[in-house]
Amino acid sequence: MDTFQVHILAADKTMYEGPCVSLTIPASDGERGILAHHSSMMAAVVPGILRWQPPGQPVQLAAVSPGMVKVENNEVLVLVDSAERPEEIDEARARWEADQAREAILQKKSRQEYQLAQASLARALNRLRVKSRGPL
């Protein structure tokens, strides 16, 4: 089975570096799948679920925030602000954050506050989706 090198980096940690069989990233136009020998590309990563499969292992999951991905010469670089595995997510805190964001959206104070609340809600709901799926 063909593999490629992947580097999944968050602002505060290295999520994974090593060989990979497949990688699926959340992008603005939907999910993008990457396999070995993928053509060169760059794309924006949006908040969502990042999936990757090291050789001989199950698919790994992480909740990711915005960032970018670069594919070149059978090597993939994923840079995101944050990335969390299911076991790293505090479900109670994520639910609380979602509730706070919903309340802020209802307040509709300013356009900027509304957009920040929407972004917070999207992040919290994404974390809860990843947590509910847990390790595969």
Side-chain angles (χ1 to χ4, degrees), residues 10-75:
D12 62 341
K13 66 183 170 190
T14 298
M15 176 64 62
Y16 176 76
E17 285 191 303
C20 193
V21 174
S22 68
L23 173 71
T24 305
I25 59 162
S28 57
D29 57 351
E31 291 187 334
R32 290 197 181 189
I34 299 170
L35 298 172
H37 311 292
H38 194 286
S39 59
S40 295
M41 70 165 224
M42 287 186 74
V45 174
V46 298
I49 301 173
L50 180 75
R51 295 176 186 85
W52 71 96
Q53 184 172 15
Q57 296 182 32
V59 173
Q60 306 291 306
L61 296 177
V64 295
S65 61
M68 55 96 39
V69 62
K70 179 180 107 171
V71 180
E72 186 176 51
N73 298 326
N74 215 35
E75 195 160 332

Short mmCIF file of all heavy atoms in Angstrom, two decimals, residues 10-75:
data_model
loop_
_atom_site.label_atom_id
_atom_site.label_comp_id
_atom_site.label_asym_id
_atom_site.label_seq_id
_atom_site.Cartn_x
_atom_site.Cartn_y
_atom_site.Cartn_z
N ALA A 10 -0.41 21.83 15.04
CA ALA A 10 -1.26 22.86 15.62
C ALA A 10 -0.33 23.92 16.19
O ALA A 10 0.88 23.71 16.32
CB ALA A 10 -2.14 22.27 16.72
N ALA A 11 -0.88 25.07 16.53
CA ALA A 11 -0.05 26.16 17.05
C ALA A 11 0.74 25.75 18.30
O ALA A 11 1.86 26.20 18.50
CB ALA A 11 -0.92 27.38 17.36
N ASP A 12 0.16 24.85 19.11
CA ASP A 12 0.80 24.50 20.38
C ASP A 12 1.39 23.10 20.44
O ASP A 12 1.96 22.70 21.45
CB ASP A 12 -0.21 24.67 21.52
CG ASP A 12 -1.42 23.76 21.37
OD1 ASP A 12 -1.68 23.27 20.25
OD2 ASP A 12 -2.12 23.55 22.37
N LYS A 13 1.25 22.30 19.36
CA LYS A 13 1.77 20.93 19.43
C LYS A 13 1.83 20.29 18.05
O LYS A 13 1.22 20.77 17.10
CB LYS A 13 0.88 20.07 20.34
CG LYS A 13 -0.52 19.87 19.79
CD LYS A 13 -1.37 19.08 20.76
CE LYS A 13 -2.83 19.10 20.30
NZ LYS A 13 -3.71 18.58 21.28
N THR A 14 2.55 19.21 17.99
CA THR A 14 2.57 18.36 16.80
C THR A 14 1.55 17.26 17.04
O THR A 14 1.68 16.49 17.98
CB THR A 14 3.97 17.75 16.59
OG1 THR A 14 4.90 18.81 16.39
CG2 THR A 14 3.98 16.82 15.39
N MET A 15 0.52 17.21 16.20
CA MET A 15 -0.53 16.19 16.35
C MET A 15 -0.03 14.84 15.83
O MET A 15 -0.21 13.82 16.47
CB MET A 15 -1.78 16.63 15.59
CG MET A 15 -2.91 15.63 15.56
SD MET A 15 -3.65 15.23 17.15
CE MET A 15 -4.30 16.77 17.67
N TYR A 16 0.61 14.85 14.64
CA TYR A 16 1.12 13.61 14.07
C TYR A 16 2.15 13.94 12.99
O TYR A 16 1.94 14.86 12.20
CB TYR A 16 -0.01 12.77 13.44
CG TYR A 16 0.48 11.51 12.76
CD1 TYR A 16 0.87 10.40 13.50
CD2 TYR A 16 0.58 11.44 11.38
CE1 TYR A 16 1.34 9.25 12.87
CE2 TYR A 16 1.05 10.29 10.74
CZ TYR A 16 1.43 9.21 11.50
OH TYR A 16 1.90 8.08 10.89
N GLU A 17 3.21 13.18 12.98
CA GLU A 17 4.20 13.25 11.90
C GLU A 17 4.60 11.82 11.58
O GLU A 17 4.97 11.07 12.48
CB GLU A 17 5.43 14.06 12.31
CG GLU A 17 5.20 15.55 12.33
CD GLU A 17 6.48 16.35 12.48
OE1 GLU A 17 7.21 16.14 13.47
OE2 GLU A 17 6.74 17.18 11.59
N GLY A 18 4.50 11.46 10.31
CA GLY A 18 4.90 10.12 9.92
C GLY A 18 4.20 9.68 8.66
O GLY A 18 3.55 10.47 7.96
N PRO A 19 4.32 8.38 8.36
CA PRO A 19 3.70 7.86 7.15
C PRO A 19 2.18 7.82 7.28
O PRO A 19 1.65 7.68 8.38
CB PRO A 19 4.29 6.46 7.02
CG PRO A 19 4.67 6.08 8.41
CD PRO A 19 5.04 7.35 9.11
N CYS A 20 1.52 7.94 6.14
CA CYS A 20 0.06 7.99 6.14
C CYS A 20 -0.45 7.29 4.88
O CYS A 20 0.16 7.41 3.82
CB CYS A 20 -0.38 9.45 6.17
SG CYS A 20 -2.10 9.71 6.55
N VAL A 21 -1.57 6.59 5.01
CA VAL A 21 -2.20 5.91 3.89
C VAL A 21 -3.24 6.83 3.25
O VAL A 21 -3.36 6.91 2.03
CB VAL A 21 -2.87 4.60 4.35
CG1 VAL A 21 -3.65 3.94 3.23
CG2 VAL A 21 -1.83 3.64 4.91
N SER A 22 -4.00 7.54 4.10
CA SER A 22 -5.02 8.45 3.60
C SER A 22 -5.22 9.58 4.60
O SER A 22 -4.97 9.42 5.80
CB SER A 22 -6.35 7.73 3.36
OG SER A 22 -6.91 7.30 4.59
N LEU A 23 -5.67 10.72 4.07
CA LEU A 23 -5.92 11.91 4.90
C LEU A 23 -7.16 12.58 4.34
O LEU A 23 -7.30 12.73 3.13
CB LEU A 23 -4.72 12.85 4.81
CG LEU A 23 -4.83 14.22 5.47
CD1 LEU A 23 -4.82 14.09 6.99
CD2 LEU A 23 -3.69 15.12 5.03
N THR A 24 -8.08 12.96 5.22
CA THR A 24 -9.28 13.70 4.81
C THR A 24 -9.31 14.98 5.61
O THR A 24 -9.25 14.96 6.84
CB THR A 24 -10.56 12.88 5.07
OG1 THR A 24 -10.44 11.62 4.41
CG2 THR A 24 -11.79 13.61 4.56
N ILE A 25 -9.40 16.11 4.88
CA ILE A 25 -9.41 17.41 5.54
C ILE A 25 -10.74 18.11 5.29
O ILE A 25 -11.33 17.97 4.23
CB ILE A 25 -8.25 18.31 5.05
CG1 ILE A 25 -8.35 18.53 3.55
CG2 ILE A 25 -6.90 17.73 5.41
CD1 ILE A 25 -7.57 19.70 3.06
N PRO A 26 -11.21 18.87 6.29
CA PRO A 26 -12.41 19.68 6.07
C PRO A 26 -12.02 20.96 5.33
O PRO A 26 -11.14 21.69 5.76
CB PRO A 26 -12.91 19.97 7.49
CG PRO A 26 -11.67 19.94 8.33
CD PRO A 26 -10.75 18.94 7.68
N ALA A 27 -12.64 21.20 4.18
CA ALA A 27 -12.35 22.39 3.38
C ALA A 27 -13.65 23.15 3.14
O ALA A 27 -14.74 22.62 3.35
CB ALA A 27 -11.71 21.99 2.05
N SER A 28 -13.53 24.39 2.69
CA SER A 28 -14.71 25.23 2.49
C SER A 28 -15.68 24.64 1.47
O SER A 28 -16.88 24.87 1.54
CB SER A 28 -14.30 26.64 2.08
OG SER A 28 -13.51 26.58 0.91
N ASP A 29 -15.17 23.83 0.54
CA ASP A 29 -16.04 23.24 -0.48
C ASP A 29 -16.36 21.77 -0.17
O ASP A 29 -16.76 21.02 -1.05
CB ASP A 29 -15.42 23.38 -1.87
CG ASP A 29 -14.03 22.77 -1.96
OD1 ASP A 29 -13.46 22.39 -0.91
OD2 ASP A 29 -13.49 22.68 -3.08
N GLY A 30 -16.17 21.36 1.06
CA GLY A 30 -16.44 19.99 1.48
C GLY A 30 -15.17 19.29 1.91
O GLY A 30 -14.12 19.90 2.03
N GLU A 31 -15.26 18.00 2.15
CA GLU A 31 -14.09 17.26 2.56
C GLU A 31 -13.21 16.94 1.35
O GLU A 31 -13.72 16.67 0.27
CB GLU A 31 -14.50 15.95 3.24
CG GLU A 31 -15.15 16.15 4.58
CD GLU A 31 -15.41 14.84 5.30
OE1 GLU A 31 -15.55 13.79 4.64
OE2 GLU A 31 -15.48 14.88 6.53
N ARG A 32 -11.90 16.99 1.57
CA ARG A 32 -10.94 16.64 0.51
C ARG A 32 -10.12 15.45 0.97
O ARG A 32 -9.55 15.47 2.05
CB ARG A 32 -10.00 17.81 0.22
CG ARG A 32 -10.70 18.96 -0.44
CD ARG A 32 -9.70 19.87 -1.07
NE ARG A 32 -10.38 20.99 -1.70
CZ ARG A 32 -9.78 21.86 -2.46
NH1 ARG A 32 -8.49 21.75 -2.69
NH2 ARG A 32 -10.45 22.84 -3.00
N GLY A 33 -10.09 14.44 0.13
CA GLY A 33 -9.31 13.25 0.43
C GLY A 33 -7.96 13.31 -0.26
O GLY A 33 -7.85 13.77 -1.39
N ILE A 34 -6.94 12.87 0.46
CA ILE A 34 -5.58 12.87 -0.08
C ILE A 34 -5.01 11.47 0.08
O ILE A 34 -5.07 10.88 1.16
CB ILE A 34 -4.70 13.91 0.66
CG1 ILE A 34 -5.27 15.31 0.46
CG2 ILE A 34 -3.25 13.81 0.19
CD1 ILE A 34 -4.63 16.37 1.33
N LEU A 35 -4.47 10.95 -1.03
CA LEU A 35 -3.80 9.66 -1.04
C LEU A 35 -2.37 9.87 -1.54
O LEU A 35 -2.00 10.97 -1.94
CB LEU A 35 -4.54 8.68 -1.96
CG LEU A 35 -5.98 8.35 -1.57
CD1 LEU A 35 -6.66 7.54 -2.67
CD2 LEU A 35 -6.03 7.60 -0.25
N ALA A 36 -1.59 8.81 -1.53
CA ALA A 36 -0.21 8.89 -2.02
C ALA A 36 -0.18 9.41 -3.45
O ALA A 36 -1.07 9.13 -4.25
CB ALA A 36 0.45 7.51 -1.94
N HIS A 37 0.83 10.20 -3.76
CA HIS A 37 1.08 10.76 -5.08
C HIS A 37 -0.01 11.74 -5.53
O HIS A 37 -0.25 11.90 -6.72
CB HIS A 37 1.28 9.65 -6.13
CG HIS A 37 2.27 8.62 -5.68
ND1 HIS A 37 3.62 8.90 -5.52
CD2 HIS A 37 2.10 7.33 -5.30
CE1 HIS A 37 4.24 7.81 -5.09
NE2 HIS A 37 3.34 6.85 -4.94
N HIS A 38 -0.66 12.38 -4.57
CA HIS A 38 -1.67 13.40 -4.87
C HIS A 38 -0.99 14.56 -5.59
O HIS A 38 0.17 14.87 -5.33
CB HIS A 38 -2.31 13.89 -3.57
CG HIS A 38 -3.56 14.69 -3.74
ND1 HIS A 38 -3.56 15.99 -4.19
CD2 HIS A 38 -4.85 14.37 -3.52
CE1 HIS A 38 -4.80 16.43 -4.23
NE2 HIS A 38 -5.61 15.47 -3.83
N SER A 39 -1.70 15.21 -6.48
CA SER A 39 -1.13 16.36 -7.17
C SER A 39 -0.89 17.50 -6.19
O SER A 39 -1.53 17.59 -5.15
CB SER A 39 -2.06 16.82 -8.30
OG SER A 39 -3.31 17.18 -7.78
N SER A 40 0.05 18.38 -6.54
CA SER A 40 0.37 19.51 -5.67
C SER A 40 -0.84 20.41 -5.53
O SER A 40 -1.58 20.64 -6.49
CB SER A 40 1.54 20.31 -6.25
OG SER A 40 2.70 19.51 -6.25
N MET A 41 -1.05 20.92 -4.32
CA MET A 41 -2.17 21.83 -4.07
C MET A 41 -1.98 22.54 -2.74
O MET A 41 -1.19 22.12 -1.89
CB MET A 41 -3.51 21.09 -4.06
CG MET A 41 -3.71 20.17 -2.87
SD MET A 41 -5.42 19.68 -2.69
CE MET A 41 -5.65 19.86 -0.94
N MET A 42 -2.70 23.62 -2.59
CA MET A 42 -2.83 24.31 -1.30
C MET A 42 -4.31 24.59 -1.13
O MET A 42 -5.01 24.87 -2.10
CB MET A 42 -2.05 25.62 -1.29
CG MET A 42 -0.55 25.41 -1.21
SD MET A 42 0.35 26.94 -1.02
CE MET A 42 0.02 27.33 0.67
N ALA A 43 -4.79 24.49 0.10
CA ALA A 43 -6.21 24.74 0.36
C ALA A 43 -6.38 25.23 1.79
O ALA A 43 -5.55 24.94 2.67
CB ALA A 43 -7.03 23.47 0.13
N ALA A 44 -7.46 25.95 2.01
CA ALA A 44 -7.81 26.39 3.36
C ALA A 44 -8.49 25.23 4.09
O ALA A 44 -9.28 24.49 3.51
CB ALA A 44 -8.75 27.59 3.29
N VAL A 45 -8.16 25.08 5.35
CA VAL A 45 -8.81 24.11 6.22
C VAL A 45 -9.83 24.90 7.04
O VAL A 45 -9.52 25.97 7.55
CB VAL A 45 -7.79 23.42 7.16
CG1 VAL A 45 -8.48 22.53 8.17
CG2 VAL A 45 -6.76 22.63 6.35
N VAL A 46 -11.05 24.36 7.14
CA VAL A 46 -12.09 25.00 7.94
C VAL A 46 -12.33 24.15 9.18
O VAL A 46 -11.92 22.98 9.23
CB VAL A 46 -13.40 25.17 7.13
CG1 VAL A 46 -13.18 26.07 5.91
CG2 VAL A 46 -13.97 23.83 6.70
N PRO A 47 -12.96 24.71 10.20
CA PRO A 47 -13.25 23.90 11.39
C PRO A 47 -14.02 22.64 11.00
O PRO A 47 -14.96 22.70 10.20
CB PRO A 47 -14.11 24.82 12.25
CG PRO A 47 -13.71 26.20 11.83
CD PRO A 47 -13.44 26.08 10.36
N GLY A 48 -13.58 21.53 11.51
CA GLY A 48 -14.23 20.26 11.18
C GLY A 48 -13.44 19.09 11.71
O GLY A 48 -12.62 19.23 12.62
N ILE A 49 -13.67 17.94 11.11
CA ILE A 49 -13.03 16.70 11.55
C ILE A 49 -11.93 16.33 10.56
O ILE A 49 -12.19 16.16 9.38
CB ILE A 49 -14.05 15.56 11.66
CG1 ILE A 49 -15.15 15.93 12.67
CG2 ILE A 49 -13.35 14.26 12.07
CD1 ILE A 49 -16.29 14.93 12.73
N LEU A 50 -10.73 16.22 11.07
CA LEU A 50 -9.58 15.77 10.29
C LEU A 50 -9.43 14.28 10.55
O LEU A 50 -9.49 13.84 11.70
CB LEU A 50 -8.33 16.53 10.74
CG LEU A 50 -7.03 16.19 10.03
CD1 LEU A 50 -7.03 16.82 8.65
CD2 LEU A 50 -5.85 16.70 10.83
N ARG A 51 -9.25 13.50 9.47
CA ARG A 51 -9.08 12.05 9.60
C ARG A 51 -7.79 11.65 8.89
O ARG A 51 -7.55 12.11 7.78
CB ARG A 51 -10.24 11.31 8.94
CG ARG A 51 -11.58 11.52 9.57
CD ARG A 51 -12.67 10.79 8.74
NE ARG A 51 -13.98 11.08 9.23
CZ ARG A 51 -14.69 12.15 8.89
NH1 ARG A 51 -14.20 13.03 8.06
NH2 ARG A 51 -15.89 12.35 9.39
N TRP A 52 -7.01 10.79 9.52
CA TRP A 52 -5.82 10.25 8.86
C TRP A 52 -5.62 8.82 9.30
O TRP A 52 -6.04 8.41 10.37
CB TRP A 52 -4.59 11.12 9.14
CG TRP A 52 -4.06 11.04 10.53
CD1 TRP A 52 -3.04 10.25 10.98
CD2 TRP A 52 -4.52 11.77 11.68
NE1 TRP A 52 -2.84 10.45 12.32
CE2 TRP A 52 -3.72 11.38 12.77
CE3 TRP A 52 -5.51 12.72 11.89
CZ2 TRP A 52 -3.91 11.89 14.06
CZ3 TRP A 52 -5.69 13.23 13.17
CH2 TRP A 52 -4.89 12.82 14.23
N GLN A 53 -4.98 8.05 8.41
CA GLN A 53 -4.76 6.64 8.71
C GLN A 53 -3.29 6.28 8.54
O GLN A 53 -2.80 6.18 7.41
CB GLN A 53 -5.62 5.74 7.83
CG GLN A 53 -5.47 4.28 8.21
CD GLN A 53 -6.44 3.39 7.48
OE1 GLN A 53 -7.05 3.77 6.49
NE2 GLN A 53 -6.57 2.17 7.97
N PRO A 54 -2.59 6.07 9.65
CA PRO A 54 -1.22 5.56 9.55
C PRO A 54 -1.28 4.10 9.05
O PRO A 54 -2.27 3.40 9.27
CB PRO A 54 -0.71 5.61 11.00
CG PRO A 54 -1.64 6.57 11.70
CD PRO A 54 -2.96 6.41 11.02
N PRO A 55 -0.23 3.63 8.38
CA PRO A 55 -0.23 2.25 7.87
C PRO A 55 -0.45 1.23 8.98
O PRO A 55 0.15 1.31 10.04
CB PRO A 55 1.17 2.09 7.27
CG PRO A 55 1.78 3.43 7.21
CD PRO A 55 1.02 4.33 8.12
N GLY A 56 -1.37 0.29 8.72
CA GLY A 56 -1.62 -0.79 9.67
C GLY A 56 -2.35 -0.37 10.93
O GLY A 56 -2.42 -1.15 11.88
N GLN A 57 -2.89 0.82 10.97
CA GLN A 57 -3.58 1.32 12.16
C GLN A 57 -4.97 1.80 11.78
O GLN A 57 -5.26 2.06 10.61
CB GLN A 57 -2.80 2.47 12.80
CG GLN A 57 -1.44 2.09 13.33
CD GLN A 57 -0.75 3.28 13.99
OE1 GLN A 57 -1.39 4.14 14.56
NE2 GLN A 57 0.56 3.31 13.86
N PRO A 58 -5.85 1.95 12.79
CA PRO A 58 -7.18 2.48 12.49
C PRO A 58 -7.12 3.97 12.15
O PRO A 58 -6.12 4.64 12.43
CB PRO A 58 -7.97 2.24 13.78
CG PRO A 58 -6.94 2.06 14.85
CD PRO A 58 -5.70 1.57 14.18
N VAL A 59 -8.19 4.46 11.57
CA VAL A 59 -8.31 5.87 11.25
C VAL A 59 -8.27 6.68 12.55
O VAL A 59 -8.91 6.33 13.54
CB VAL A 59 -9.62 6.15 10.47
CG1 VAL A 59 -9.84 7.64 10.29
CG2 VAL A 59 -9.60 5.44 9.13
N GLN A 60 -7.52 7.77 12.53
CA GLN A 60 -7.41 8.67 13.68
C GLN A 60 -8.27 9.91 13.40
O GLN A 60 -8.40 10.33 12.25
CB GLN A 60 -5.95 9.10 13.87
CG GLN A 60 -4.97 7.95 13.98
CD GLN A 60 -5.15 7.18 15.27
OE1 GLN A 60 -5.13 7.74 16.35
NE2 GLN A 60 -5.36 5.88 15.14
N LEU A 61 -8.82 10.51 14.46
CA LEU A 61 -9.67 11.70 14.33
C LEU A 61 -9.13 12.85 15.16
O LEU A 61 -8.54 12.63 16.22
CB LEU A 61 -11.08 11.43 14.86
CG LEU A 61 -11.96 10.42 14.21
CD1 LEU A 61 -13.28 10.31 14.97
CD2 LEU A 61 -12.22 10.79 12.78
N ALA A 62 -9.40 14.06 14.68
CA ALA A 62 -9.11 15.26 15.48
C ALA A 62 -10.08 16.36 15.08
O ALA A 62 -10.42 16.50 13.90
CB ALA A 62 -7.67 15.73 15.27
N ALA A 63 -10.52 17.12 16.07
CA ALA A 63 -11.30 18.33 15.80
C ALA A 63 -10.27 19.42 15.51
O ALA A 63 -9.36 19.64 16.31
CB ALA A 63 -12.13 18.71 17.03
N VAL A 64 -10.40 20.07 14.36
CA VAL A 64 -9.44 21.10 13.99
C VAL A 64 -10.13 22.44 13.77
O VAL A 64 -11.30 22.52 13.44
CB VAL A 64 -8.63 20.73 12.71
CG1 VAL A 64 -7.75 19.51 12.98
CG2 VAL A 64 -9.52 20.51 11.51
N SER A 65 -9.34 23.48 13.98
CA SER A 65 -9.79 24.85 13.74
C SER A 65 -9.25 25.28 12.38
O SER A 65 -8.58 24.51 11.70
CB SER A 65 -9.28 25.74 14.87
OG SER A 65 -7.87 25.73 14.87
N PRO A 66 -9.49 26.53 11.97
CA PRO A 66 -9.03 26.96 10.65
C PRO A 66 -7.51 26.84 10.48
O PRO A 66 -6.75 26.90 11.45
CB PRO A 66 -9.45 28.42 10.59
CG PRO A 66 -10.57 28.54 11.55
CD PRO A 66 -10.26 27.57 12.65
N GLY A 67 -7.12 26.69 9.23
CA GLY A 67 -5.70 26.59 8.91
C GLY A 67 -5.52 26.41 7.42
O GLY A 67 -6.33 26.87 6.62
N MET A 68 -4.46 25.69 7.06
CA MET A 68 -4.18 25.44 5.64
C MET A 68 -3.50 24.09 5.48
O MET A 68 -2.94 23.55 6.43
CB MET A 68 -3.32 26.57 5.04
CG MET A 68 -2.02 26.86 5.74
SD MET A 68 -0.50 26.09 5.11
CE MET A 68 -0.62 26.10 3.40
N VAL A 69 -3.57 23.59 4.24
CA VAL A 69 -2.90 22.34 3.89
C VAL A 69 -2.12 22.57 2.61
O VAL A 69 -2.56 23.29 1.72
CB VAL A 69 -3.90 21.17 3.73
CG1 VAL A 69 -4.90 21.43 2.61
CG2 VAL A 69 -3.18 19.84 3.49
N LYS A 70 -0.94 21.96 2.57
CA LYS A 70 -0.10 22.03 1.36
C LYS A 70 0.33 20.61 1.01
O LYS A 70 0.81 19.87 1.87
CB LYS A 70 1.14 22.89 1.61
CG LYS A 70 2.07 22.97 0.39
CD LYS A 70 3.26 23.84 0.69
CE LYS A 70 4.48 22.96 0.85
NZ LYS A 70 5.73 23.67 0.95
N VAL A 71 0.13 20.24 -0.25
CA VAL A 71 0.53 18.93 -0.76
C VAL A 71 1.57 19.16 -1.84
O VAL A 71 1.34 19.91 -2.78
CB VAL A 71 -0.68 18.16 -1.35
CG1 VAL A 71 -0.24 16.79 -1.86
CG2 VAL A 71 -1.80 18.04 -0.34
N GLU A 72 2.73 18.50 -1.69
CA GLU A 72 3.80 18.66 -2.67
C GLU A 72 4.79 17.50 -2.52
O GLU A 72 5.21 17.17 -1.41
CB GLU A 72 4.50 20.00 -2.43
CG GLU A 72 5.54 20.36 -3.47
CD GLU A 72 6.10 21.76 -3.20
OE1 GLU A 72 6.53 22.04 -2.07
OE2 GLU A 72 6.10 22.55 -4.15
N ASN A 73 5.15 16.88 -3.64
CA ASN A 73 6.16 15.81 -3.67
C ASN A 73 5.87 14.68 -2.68
O ASN A 73 6.75 14.26 -1.93
CB ASN A 73 7.56 16.38 -3.42
CG ASN A 73 7.98 17.36 -4.48
OD1 ASN A 73 7.62 17.20 -5.65
ND2 ASN A 73 8.70 18.39 -4.09
N ASN A 74 4.63 14.21 -2.66
CA ASN A 74 4.21 13.11 -1.79
C ASN A 74 4.39 13.42 -0.30
O ASN A 74 4.62 12.53 0.52
CB ASN A 74 4.91 11.80 -2.16
CG ASN A 74 4.02 10.61 -1.98
OD1 ASN A 74 2.81 10.67 -2.19
ND2 ASN A 74 4.61 9.50 -1.56
N GLU A 75 4.31 14.70 0.03
CA GLU A 75 4.41 15.14 1.42
C GLU A 75 3.28 16.14 1.68
O GLU A 75 2.99 16.99 0.84
CB GLU A 75 5.76 15.79 1.68
CG GLU A 75 6.06 15.95 3.14
CD GLU A 75 7.56 16.13 3.40
OE1 GLU A 75 8.39 15.63 2.62
OE2 GLU A 75 7.86 16.77 4.41
#
